[in-house]
Amino acid sequence: MGQGLTKPVHPLLSFLVPAVVTSALWAAWLGWDQHRDVHPDGSTTGPYEAWQVIGLVLTLLVPVYWAASRRHVVGAVLGTTAGLTAAAFYDWSDDGSGLFVIGVGMVMLGSLAATTAVSAVIASAARRRGPAGA
């Protein structure tokens, strides 16, 4: 009886865990840095440094691997994409110009493409290893 109740939740967890972990990773790597660097010529960069974005991308491999290696590729892709998109929207929504929506759309499309490719490779490797749980 307990097995029947937990089975429908498992695919949902394969979406929720990557989404929540991804949002937390965004906050840890990018959420605290909100200032732009002003250069002597007046140009600005930022607010993120390259090492922050690289760190985020590398640590995102953990939740993607967790879901995709369990053959929940859709959960890995959509959970990670949803987490990044929601975090970017929340982080950037104070932009008065409204152009943040373009950036959020680019984050969504980029993360969708990247996590699809990475999840397919992970799931393919998991399929070669044998049955799930082996």
Side-chain angles (χ1 to χ4, degrees), residues 88-116:
F89 186 89
Y90 178 78
D91 197 17
W92 299 340
S93 63
D94 60 351
D95 175 39
S97 70
L99 289 176
F100 76 95
V101 176
I102 303 297
V104 170
M106 291 170 61
V107 165
M108 182 185 67
L109 292 174
S111 62
L112 185 64
T115 55
T116 298

Side-chain angles (χ1 to χ4, degrees), residues 55-89:
L56 173 63
V57 169
L58 291 176
T59 55
L60 283 175
L61 292 173
V62 174
V64 171
Y65 179 83
W66 178 84
S69 66
R70 286 161 177 74
R71 296 190 181 94
H72 293 288
V73 175
V74 173
V77 171
L78 295 182
T80 304
T81 300
L84 282 176
T85 303
F89 186 89

Side-chain angles (χ1 to χ4, degrees), residues 1 3 10 13 15 18 41 43 48 55 57 69 88 101 103 115 121-122 129 134:
M1 184 161 135
Q3 290 264 353
H10 186 66
L13 281 177
F15 170 81
D41 65 357
S43 64
Y48 313 122
V57 169
S69 66
V101 176
T115 55
V121 169
I122 293 169
R129 278 195 316 257

